[in-house]
Amino acid sequence: MIAPSILSADFARLADEAAAVEGSDWLHVDVMDAHFVPNLTLGLPVVESLLKATDIPLDCHLMIENPGRWAPPYAEAGAHNVTFHAEATDDPRSVARDIRAAGGKAGLSVKPGTPIEPYLEILKDFDTLLVMSVEPGFGGQSFMPEVLEKARAVRKLVDSGELKLLVEIDGGINTATVEQAAEAGIDCFVAGSAVYGTADPAEAVRSLRTQAAKASPHLTIAN
Ligand code: DX5
Ligand code: ZN
């Protein structure tokens, strides 16, 4: 799965930018509050408008404080997947429960320096694990390959049937890095600058998908 990140799109033309990546599996929406991360992007009103403007399922990545208060409304509004950060709450399970009760899929994200072991037990209450491969806050940063260890560890648990969840990666994914991430067992690849920084975003999505599928140990190519 490929999830183009609109962080690298033109914010004044979001409906057109969503249409430009038609055929993508998810549209990744980075919500930043200038507290959990130093940057500020967009919030619920923009997501509500975007939901009316596109049929691509929205993958909301909340880089915000107090997700217990702010995350469930994104699911209520109709976002497909609502991911918040493990570092932002003491009670990730109850936030996941509230997101699911509001009709969304629940995602847990970990920053590059956050170990995964303390969270393995609660991952059964989640639909997605989002492994950050850059420090959250900005697009266009360099991929950190060391985070793939976490993806491999969780992949093993998924393959053995102990966990049932989708493993997603975010940050620095492009034609030079997508294969190593696929080899580590990633299911869903977020790409911002590698999609919207090109002349043909839809073609960039297709070629990233083909490259990822070829390198993936657990997938066969559909086309
Ligand atoms: C960074 C965001 C990413 C960002 C990725 O904090 O979470 O989703 O858009 O951008 P690229 O793909 O350019 O690294
Ligand atoms: Zn993101």
Side-chain angles (χ1 to χ4, degrees):
M1 292 173 64
I2 306 292
S5 169
I6 56 160
L7 184 61
S8 295
D10 180 348
F11 275 23
R13 301 173 42 252
L14 286 181
D16 296 341
E17 297 282 61
V21 293
E22 194 117 340
S24 297
D25 302 280
W26 287 352
L27 191 63
H28 186 83
V29 181
D30 288 306
V31 175
M32 306 186 190
D33 67 352
H35 288 273
F36 181 74
V37 287
N39 203 359
L40 179 70
T41 53
L42 52 86
L44 190 56
V46 175
V47 167
E48 285 170 339
S49 293
L50 205 44
L51 281 162
K52 290 182 213 143
T54 182
D55 292 333
I56 307 173
L58 297 192
D59 176 32
C60 291
H61 175 195
L62 309 185
M63 286 160 274
I64 61 169
E65 289 181 353
N66 198 0
R69 163 70 180 84
W70 301 110
Y74 286 84
E76 249 156 62
H80 175 77
N81 193 57
V82 181
T83 292
F84 60 93
H85 270 265
E87 304 86 358
T89 173
D90 293 332
D91 194 358
R93 295 176 97 154
S94 81
V95 183
R97 207 175 303 131
D98 291 349
I99 290 170
R100 284 175 161 181
K105 304 272 185 199
L108 187 73
S109 183
V110 284
K111 296 206 256 184
T114 301
I116 196 65
E117 288 76 19
Y119 299 103
L120 290 178
E121 185 56 35
I122 64 159
L123 281 180
K124 59 179 183 304
D125 295 322
F126 285 84
D127 303 289
T128 307
L129 171 70
L130 177 59
V131 177
M132 288 304 300
S133 39
V134 297
E135 285 303 330
F138 300 92
Q141 303 181 76
S142 298
F143 184 70
M144 299 168 73
E146 59 271 26
V147 306
L148 292 178
E149 273 313 308
K150 290 187 264 189
R152 284 189 199 99
V154 173
R155 179 84 248 156
K156 252 189 211 159
L157 297 173
V158 173
D159 287 345
S160 70
E162 279 169 76
L163 279 178
K164 191 171 173 271
L165 90 169
L166 209 135
V167 188
E168 185 178 12
I169 196 152
D170 184 8
I173 291 294
N174 53 42
T175 53
T177 57
V178 69
E179 286 172 10
Q180 52 182 302
E183 280 161 12
I186 296 293
D187 301 296
C188 183
F189 305 80
V190 176
S193 46
V195 169
Y196 283 110
T198 65
D200 188 345
E203 176 54 28
V205 169
R206 281 193 294 272
S207 60
L208 281 173
R209 188 187 280 130
T210 304
Q211 237 189 316
K214 273 187 189 151
S216 172
H218 63 290
L219 278 185
T220 46
I221 307 168
N223 53 353

